[in-house]
Amino acid sequence: MTPVTVGGGAHWTAVSSPTAVPATSTAPRPDTPLDPDAAISVRGLVRRYGQFTAVDGLDLDIHRGEIFALLGPNGAGKTTTVEICEGFRRRDAGEVRVLGTDPATGGRRWKGQLGIVLQSGAGDSQLTCGELLRAQASYYPDPRDPDEVLELVGLTEKAGVRGRALSGGQRRRLDVALGIVGRPTLLFLDEPTTGFDPEARRQFWSLIRSLRDLGTTMLLTTHYLDEAEALADRVGVIARGRLVEVAVPSALGGRGSAPAVVSWTEDGVRRTQDTQTPTALVAELAGRLGGEVPDLAVARPTLEDVYLRMIGDPA
Amino acid sequence: MTATQERTLPSVASVCRTRAGVELKEFFRQRESVVFTLMFPVILLLVFGAVLDYDLGSGISFTQYFMAGVIAAGILGASLQNMAISIATERSDGTLKGLSGTPMPKSAFFVGKVVQVLVVTVAIVAILLAIGALFYDIDLPSGTDWLTFAWVAALGSAACTLLGIAISSLARNGRSASATVTPVALVLQFISGVFFQFSEVPTWLQTVAALFPLKWMAQGLRSVFLPDALAAQEPAGHWELGRVALVLGIWCVVGLVLCVRTFRWQDRGDG
């Protein structure tokens, strides 16, 4: 089962700021045409493995310049969808355009605009990090400087170390370095931080933000809800092969407008109440209980709450 | 983005150079591949040369006969075994998938592999000839024998490289490729006149061996290392160089067709 990893509770229950609660958007409707300006546009995507339908009529638009996070449990169809967009897997039905090209027919020029960090990562190599990056750079029309890329991912000191001698987290950073050395317009990141310690993940996040500032579009799949919330402009939740919702992280699942839960202790009994007006309720409690309300807490549903509700819904 | 579209892709030739460098480093830095592929024939030559140094008649030592066989076995290892195992490994560990997602021209990958096989083969042949000449008093080929040596080695190497690439697609991973290919290669060496004189192999096994390229490589190389008087011991009573070329040529075609039809950049069921 999917490990749902969540960051600090305080972060999650923070009440959204009153100014910026963008409207919840949904996945594009299947009957709308492909978006020619989108970095990725998908309509009615279907992929079956024998009797199992991994992707079951998925619609998706990813705009140029945004970071889009695809969330979902194992087996929901994340990797299948991403690998169809990358050109690795065939599809049984549907239309797909990635940077205006059908991935099933994409050639060298098209691949030259992509950066791909696979879930499985690169293999064991006898080449050093520096040699691997220089080789990879030589395949692209306008590569980044391999030394600068090593610096970006924090592997400068490992430039002379062979790929196979790196630790798990270092290997993943090498994978990311190989993915960005070609100066991609569109970067695919399939669970890029699995196996990272918290410090390495923070560093990775700042790398991703700096790539966004350079205009790179990114499609990120992750198990980590805090990662999606920290990085993504929009989040799509995929369950049973369909995109069940697309929204900015703070509005996912109606989180921005969900009722607050106020809890307190009165007459030695723990009480909770759902309310759209928590401030009024707290003021009323303060008046009734005469000052400080015992054990007062005001909470909104966390991203984890809404996520688990979405993926748990029976079809 | 506009800059990317204006810039031209690197030429196929330049990527081929990169790939050749990558493949040579991958081979020569890996202890297992250097020991098994490069040193194994050398050890065989040293051991057999020391143990089985008997006279075949006409003043020809078994080591002179074995020279042809061990070079054929060395070529088989550098091409068929090397390709089958290394490509199966690179397929199962995701290296091939990663490469196929880059703008690397697919042809450059195969050029890199061919350069690796070529360099390793030349190294094995040179080491074996040097050891044979220095320690076992081997008569080196002369005159047109070198020409025969060159085409037999090149044609045999090409056939075995293509077959190795094709076989890699049958294996689940590098370990299973090694477990399958290594014993088969060993059996072929026993029945193809590498370790023993081919004339001592039972006739029905000679027929089996004749279906595979190793027997024909060894036979072609015997014509290079042995005096023509010993051709009488061959199954046909002569060196059959025309048939050597024909069988190896057929295996090149079969191997190429198998490669084109079966080559995968990803694990089975992963597409």
Side-chain angles (χ1 to χ4, degrees):
Chain A
M1 216 18 244
T2 314
V4 177
T5 313
V6 188
H11 181 63
W12 291 93
T13 51
V15 176
S16 306
S17 76
T19 49
V21 183
T24 297
S25 60
T26 52
R29 291 170 48 86
D31 50 4
T32 54
L34 288 163
D35 181 351
D37 296 325
I40 297 177
S41 195
V42 176
R43 292 295 179 276
L45 184 64
V46 175
R47 176 66 207 262
R48 298 181 200 92
Y49 300 107
Q51 295 293 311
F52 176 64
T53 303
V55 179
D56 187 15
L58 185 133
D59 306 293
L60 174 65
D61 281 328
I62 296 177
H63 311 311
R64 288 186 187 254
E66 78 171 332
I67 300 182
F68 190 98
L70 209 48
L71 286 175
N74 285 339
K78 289 194 305 288
T79 292
T80 296
T81 301
V82 170
E83 293 202 348
I84 288 170
C85 291
E86 292 165 343
F88 288 125
R89 294 179 193 235
R90 55 177 187 80
R91 58 185 189 259
D92 291 313
E95 286 295 308
V96 181
R97 291 291 179 278
V98 173
L99 300 177
T101 298
D102 183 340
T105 62
R108 285 182 69 199
R109 181 159 294 282
W110 176 73
K111 287 181 182 177
Q113 296 174 271
L114 307 181
I116 297 174
V117 177
L118 289 167
Q119 195 179 114
S120 52
D124 275 347
S125 181
Q126 300 290 343
L127 269 62
T128 66
C129 295
E131 288 169 336
L132 282 167
L133 275 183
R134 281 193 291 280
Q136 183 94 346
S138 78
Y139 310 148
Y140 289 87
D142 183 25
R144 292 191 161 94
D145 175 11
D147 293 329
E148 282 173 24
V149 172
L150 279 177
E151 179 82 47
L152 267 176
V153 300
L155 284 178
T156 300
E157 285 164 22
K158 302 288 175 188
V161 174
R162 293 187 191 183
R164 63 171 6 184
L166 297 177
S167 72
Q170 290 166 348
R171 268 186 196 217
R172 208 66 189 124
R173 279 188 273 164
L174 176 62
D175 290 336
V176 173
L178 292 169
I180 65 175
V181 75
R183 203 184 298 278
T185 304
L186 170 62
L187 177 61
F188 293 94
L189 297 157
D190 200 355
E191 297 183 11
T193 60
T194 303
F196 279 27
D197 60 35
E199 169 70 13
R201 287 177 69 217
R202 298 282 160 173
Q203 284 172 0
F204 174 77
W205 292 357
S206 68
L207 165 65
I208 295 304
R209 291 190 184 106
S210 61
L211 287 172
R212 181 206 358 229
D213 294 341
L214 294 169
T216 313
T217 308
M218 280 172 267
L219 173 54
L220 168 81
T221 72
T222 183
H223 282 315
Y224 299 109
L225 298 175
D226 56 340
E227 187 160 281
E229 183 153 64
L231 293 178
D233 299 306
R234 291 192 302 152
V235 175
V237 176
I238 191 168
R240 295 169 302 278
R242 287 167 182 270
L243 209 56
V244 294
E245 185 167 344
V246 176
V248 298
S250 60
L252 199 70
R255 191 153 71 102
S257 56
V261 179
V262 178
S263 54
W264 71 97
T265 303
E266 190 172 347
D267 304 330
V269 181
R270 188 75 182 150
R271 298 178 182 237
T272 62
Q273 187 174 330
D274 289 0
T275 174
Q276 293 290 355
T277 55
T279 313
L281 177 59
V282 170
E284 185 225 310
L285 285 171
R288 191 166 83 215
L289 301 173
E292 207 50 41
V293 180
D295 304 325
L296 175 67
V298 180
R300 296 278 183 185
T302 64
L303 185 56
E304 186 187 10
D305 293 335
V306 300
Y307 169 74
L308 290 175
R309 199 186 67 227
M310 277 181 201
I311 64 170
D313 274 352
Chain B
M1 191 192 72
T2 44
T4 310
Q5 284 171 342
E6 281 159 14
R7 302 240 188 172
T8 51
L9 286 160
S11 72
V12 174
S14 79
V15 181
C16 286
R17 278 196 297 278
T18 305
R19 289 305 310 170
V22 168
E23 294 293 353
L24 291 176
K25 283 172 189 159
E26 291 284 6
F27 181 90
F28 284 101
R29 286 181 188 176
Q30 186 172 19
R31 204 172 300 129
E32 294 93 321
S33 67
V34 171
V35 169
F36 282 105
T37 309
L38 206 57
M39 296 314 292
F40 192 58
V42 172
I43 293 166
L44 281 180
L45 177 60
L46 292 175
V47 171
F48 274 70
V51 176
L52 297 174
D53 199 13
Y54 60 89
D55 197 325
L56 294 180
S58 347
I60 301 299
S61 71
F62 177 75
T63 318
Q64 185 77 35
Y65 188 98
F66 186 57
M67 200 66 204
V70 79
I71 289 176
I75 293 173
L76 187 77
S79 51
L80 190 143
Q81 289 168 268
N82 176 21
M83 286 298 102
I85 295 166
S86 72
I87 295 179
T89 304
E90 289 172 349
R91 186 179 292 112
S92 59
D93 76 12
T95 303
L96 293 193
K97 186 174 181 178
L99 284 174
S100 74
T102 73
M104 174 196 75
K106 302 263 159 85
S107 57
F109 173 80
F110 295 101
V111 170
K113 289 290 182 196
V114 167
V115 170
Q116 187 198 67
V117 170
L118 215 62
V119 170
V120 173
T121 301
V122 168
I124 288 175
V125 171
I127 294 171
L128 290 174
L129 287 178
I131 291 175
L134 288 176
F135 298 112
Y136 297 104
D137 207 19
I138 298 293
D139 294 328
L140 293 181
S142 59
T144 56
D145 281 347
W146 282 115
L147 196 68
T148 310
F149 195 158
W151 74 252
V152 170
L155 204 55
S157 184
C160 291
T161 302
L162 290 163
L163 274 174
I165 296 172
I167 289 169
S168 79
S169 298
L170 301 174
R172 260 191 323 281
N173 53 47
R175 212 167 296 163
S176 80
S178 177
T180 314
V181 168
T182 310
V184 170
L186 201 63
V187 169
L188 280 182
Q189 286 165 10
F190 271 104
I191 66 173
S192 299
V194 169
F195 298 127
F196 313 108
Q197 283 174 267
F198 192 63
S199 52
E200 289 172 12
V201 174
T203 317
W204 70 274
L205 273 180
Q206 286 188 357
T207 311
V208 173
L211 296 175
F212 297 97
L214 183 61
K215 181 258 181 189
W216 299 98
M217 271 200 287
Q219 189 171 319
L221 292 176
R222 281 199 294 277
S223 84
V224 172
F225 284 93
L226 300 180
D228 287 341
L230 281 179
Q233 294 184 10
E234 296 296 328
H238 58 96
W239 298 121
E240 291 185 288
L241 287 182
R243 183 160 288 187
V244 168
L246 181 70
V247 175
L248 294 180
I250 289 173
W251 272 112
C252 283
V253 174
V254 170
L256 185 64
V257 170
L258 287 175
C259 281
V260 169
R261 298 191 63 129
T262 63
F263 194 83
R264 292 174 286 116
W265 295 89
Q266 307 172 46
D267 275 334
R268 230 190 310 258
D270 198 21

